[in-house]
Amino acid sequence: MPIDFAMIELAGDCIRSADRILLVSHIRPDGDAVGSIIGFGLALQTIGKNVQMVIEDGGMSKFSFLHGSDQVAKKVDGEFDLICTLDCSDLERSGKVLISRPTPDINIDHHLTNPHFAKINLVDDQAVATAELIADFLPKWGLPITKEVAEALLTGIITDTIGFRTSNMRPSALRVAANLMEAGASLSHLYHLSLVDHSYDTMRLWGIGLGNLTRKGRLIWTTISLQERESINYPGRDDGDLVNLLGTITGIDIAMIINEQPENFVKVSWRSQKGYDLSELAASFGGGGHPAASGAVVQGSFDKVQRTIIETTLSFINSKSTGE
């Protein structure tokens, strides 16, 4: 649903009147989370705002090529006039960063399942990325889009659309990308850094995931355990974007990665090539996302969660194929 212009103006008034601004994005950040927080943060700094950018897991070394990535902290320090969440499908996605903090003032997001948890909610589920929304808002708020800001925001769009090829791509998003290119961002350079270039550690993780690949009917999935990640000294808790590769496999309807996390949690990521609203499936496990790409974090033992997730996803496919 399009965002009411009056709400955009109200958010702009709040931003202009604030001096110390806290920006928060979600745990296990992707390119849209990192690009959005850096792009917005750098734009605010150009007009003299005191900005703190916080992601509980940090800004990820994969995106260290972005100017300002070294400013992304893991903990909040101090008090703020304005708190803004970016790309958080719900407040829990911010992790522990906002515990004991007031209700966020502004919530900028594009997830269908966002419950509008802030005082001002700028949520458009038709947008391809939160970075697209921020790129559209900045000129309306009198904030400049410098080359560095453009690079961060274009990275967010590139990664969340997997290189402009997700089913929710729209002409307006391509126009936004063109504007960011005109501001100095190199599409080809950022595309390679974001989607094509992968580290040695990531390739080893993919080897584990591909080795565990399993298919049943129209579902394909793999698992990655904590022990397997530790065996190759993989530095993160993510799947290295392997789920997007699985989503390109022909002859299947849904691809899935079941990824064990510390403290008895399991991260599940789903991708669909056609005809399924995965956000509905993810919501049944307390997660959310988009029709073609969703995820959830489920508490429980790795083996038990695996069985439940696989059975539920197979039932989901069967119910949709039979029209139930």
Side-chain angles (χ1 to χ4, degrees), residues 26-244:
H26 61 77
I27 55 175
R28 289 180 295 276
D30 55 13
D32 193 21
V34 177
S36 294
I37 200 169
I38 292 175
F40 194 18
L42 293 179
L44 290 167
Q45 288 175 353
T46 62
I47 61 168
K49 300 298 183 182
N50 188 328
V51 180
Q52 190 172 144
M53 312 174 211
V54 179
I55 298 176
E56 185 175 288
D57 294 319
M60 290 186 64
S61 59
K62 179 177 176 62
F63 301 105
S64 61
F65 60 85
L66 292 175
H67 180 83
S69 62
D70 58 335
Q71 296 187 45
V72 179
K74 295 184 178 182
K75 295 181 179 179
V76 179
D77 180 21
E79 299 300 321
F80 299 88
D81 307 318
L82 189 78
I83 299 175
C84 181
T85 60
L86 309 172
D87 202 42
C88 291
S89 56
D90 54 57
L91 192 55
E92 288 71 27
R93 287 285 284 155
S94 66
K96 300 175 182 178
V97 171
L98 294 179
I99 289 179
S100 302
R101 295 271 165 182
T103 299
D105 299 287
I106 302 173
N107 161 30
I108 306 176
D109 187 38
H110 72 127
H111 292 91
L112 178 66
T113 53
N114 192 294
H116 293 215
F117 52 80
K119 297 173 184 175
I120 301 172
N121 297 285
L122 306 180
V123 179
D124 182 357
D125 58 39
Q126 299 301 305
V128 301
T130 297
E132 178 198 349
L133 294 174
I134 294 171
D136 184 52
F137 295 154
L138 292 183
K140 294 180 173 66
W141 293 335
L143 295 171
I145 298 181
T146 63
K147 178 175 182 282
E148 292 76 18
V149 170
E151 288 173 340
L153 297 179
L154 187 54
T155 296
I157 295 172
I158 290 170
T159 53
D160 241 33
T161 62
I162 319 175
F164 304 102
R165 62 183 176 85
T166 51
S167 59
N168 64 341
M169 271 306 302
R170 57 182 185 172
S172 59
L174 291 173
R175 295 188 188 100
V176 168
N179 292 337
L180 295 174
M181 292 175 68
E182 289 176 347
S186 170
L187 175 60
S188 60
H189 183 59
L190 294 171
Y191 189 103
H192 267 267
L193 290 173
S194 300
L195 297 178
V196 178
D197 296 348
H198 295 289
S199 69
Y200 174 72
D201 289 334
T202 297
M203 289 294 98
R204 294 188 73 197
L205 187 72
W206 283 23
I208 290 172
L210 293 173
N212 294 339
L213 200 59
T214 306
R215 177 174 180 170
K216 186 171 184 178
R218 308 291 292 183
L219 173 66
I220 198 163
W221 74 90
T222 192
T223 61
I224 301 174
S225 70
L226 275 173
Q227 184 177 3
E228 287 171 324
R229 278 209 306 280
E230 290 169 356
S231 72
I232 61 170
N233 296 315
Y234 186 74
R237 297 187 290 167
D238 59 289
D239 61 45
D241 289 332
L242 177 59
V243 68
N244 292 329

Side-chain angles (χ1 to χ4, degrees), residues 2-13 122 136-137 140-141:
I3 301 168
D4 183 70
F5 181 75
M7 295 299 290
I8 300 173
E9 285 289 287
L10 179 60
D13 290 340
L122 306 180
D136 184 52
F137 295 154
K140 294 180 173 66
W141 293 335

